[in-house]
Amino acid sequence: MRLYSFFQLLITLAFLLSCGSKNSVASDSTPISAVTKTENSIVYLFFEIEKSEKGSEKVKLTGTKISEGFIKNASIENKASVSGNLLISFLNKSGEVLEERIIEDPLNPILEVYAEEGLSKNKLNLNKAEFSVRFNQKGEISNVRVEKITDKSKNTLITLKL
């Protein structure tokens, strides 16, 4: 039974990784400069994070997408501000923080496995992963900053000028 659960975990992980590598958004991505020109829209930013051999992390923007509409604030769920998670800050032209989002550590996701014994949660350790963030663009957000939360501080990984 233990071997059966291990194979389920491997199949699920392979499926998740294959889905993540087929990012169709990058092919029809919007230029980053168009994000600030569009008002009253939803902006999706797609990122890739990679851990180097030395342990440092590098984030790069892989795609953007803009759609009409708006997100209700109640539909955006924030995670806990714990070490390892990412803090996404949306800034105006003067550098003032307008909104913040927290994303669970994309390099160490928790995979839930359903087996005959019940539900088990396994923490994965990846060297490369993708994540995305969405926000309402009302014309006031001009920068997006991604920071890694540590025990003592926050380390800026990337700052995008929209």
Side-chain angles (χ1 to χ4, degrees):
M1 283 300 159
R2 202 45 127 164
L3 186 61
Y4 180 72
S5 296
F6 179 72
F7 284 119
Q8 279 182 323
L9 175 67
L10 285 177
I11 290 171
T12 306
L13 179 60
F15 175 74
L16 289 174
L17 291 176
S18 69
C19 289
S21 65
K22 298 176 185 173
N23 189 357
S24 63
V25 176
S27 63
D28 68 321
S29 63
T30 306
I32 195 78
S33 61
V35 173
T36 53
K37 295 176 185 172
T38 307
E39 293 185 13
N40 297 322
S41 59
I42 303 170
V43 178
Y44 300 86
L45 300 176
F46 300 92
F47 295 95
E48 182 176 272
I49 185 169
E50 188 171 5
K51 189 183 330 179
S52 70
E53 293 176 6
K54 297 177 183 177
S56 63
E57 294 165 351
K58 183 179 178 182
V59 174
K60 69 178 180 177
L61 180 70
T62 58
T64 60
K65 187 170 183 167
I66 301 173
S67 64
E68 293 181 21
F70 68 95
I71 304 169
K72 295 180 183 176
N73 286 339
S75 68
I76 298 173
E77 181 181 331
N78 253 350
K79 306 296 180 187
S81 178
V82 296
S83 181
N85 288 351
L86 300 178
L87 175 65
I88 314 296
S89 301
F90 303 102
L91 312 166
N92 63 12
K93 289 180 183 178
S94 63
E96 183 181 334
V97 176
L98 300 173
E99 295 180 49
E100 290 183 333
R101 302 263 181 351
I102 295 178
I103 297 177
E104 288 182 349
D105 189 358
L107 291 173
N108 297 299
I110 296 176
L111 182 66
E112 293 181 348
V113 178
Y114 297 94
E116 291 180 12
E117 301 87 34
L119 174 70
S120 65
K121 294 183 179 184
N122 302 316
K123 190 171 187 176
L124 302 176
N125 188 356
L126 305 174
N127 289 327
K128 190 175 189 180
E130 296 176 347
F131 67 95
S132 65
V133 64
R134 63 185 180 163
F135 62 93
N136 289 322
Q137 179 57 289
K138 301 173 194 164
E140 55 197 28
I141 297 175
S142 63
N143 292 307
V144 177
R145 182 175 59 215
V146 179
E147 298 174 292
K148 178 84 171 200
I149 300 172
T150 63
D151 290 331
K152 298 179 182 178
S153 65
K154 297 173 193 157
N155 298 330
T156 302
L157 300 175
I158 189 171
T159 302
L160 299 172
K161 184 175 182 176
L162 304 180

